[in-house]
Amino acid sequence: NTAISSSNVTSVTVAGSGIITVIYRAPTEIALSTLVLTPTSPVGAGAVTWSCRTGGTVLARYRPATCRT
């Protein structure tokens, strides 16, 4: 088990279902907020696509552009 963190990220966890949850440390506006990445590709598709528009507590203006609703 490898811990994933940085000066901006407190932790990254990967669930058995492939859902990735990022907990931010900085900047202050999003500290302790989460961003959730959910795999949406059918099994066996060969490539993984991700949904990040729902789930998590990071305000839309701080999400990557492709993750804003």
Side-chain angles (χ1 to χ4, degrees):
N1 188 7
T2 302
I4 302 171
S5 66
S6 73
S7 59
N8 293 322
V9 172
T10 298
S11 68
V12 176
T13 57
V14 181
S17 60
I19 295 173
I20 299 171
T21 302
V22 180
I23 301 175
Y24 290 93
R25 175 186 326 265
T28 304
E29 297 83 5
I30 63 171
L32 301 179
S33 295
T34 59
L35 179 68
V36 177
L37 303 163
T38 305
T40 60
S41 301
V43 173
V48 177
T49 57
W50 298 91
S51 171
C52 55
R53 293 185 178 170
T54 59
T57 59
V58 174
L59 296 174
R61 69 177 174 254
Y62 296 108
R63 292 174 181 257
T66 57
C67 297
R68 297 177 190 155
T69 55

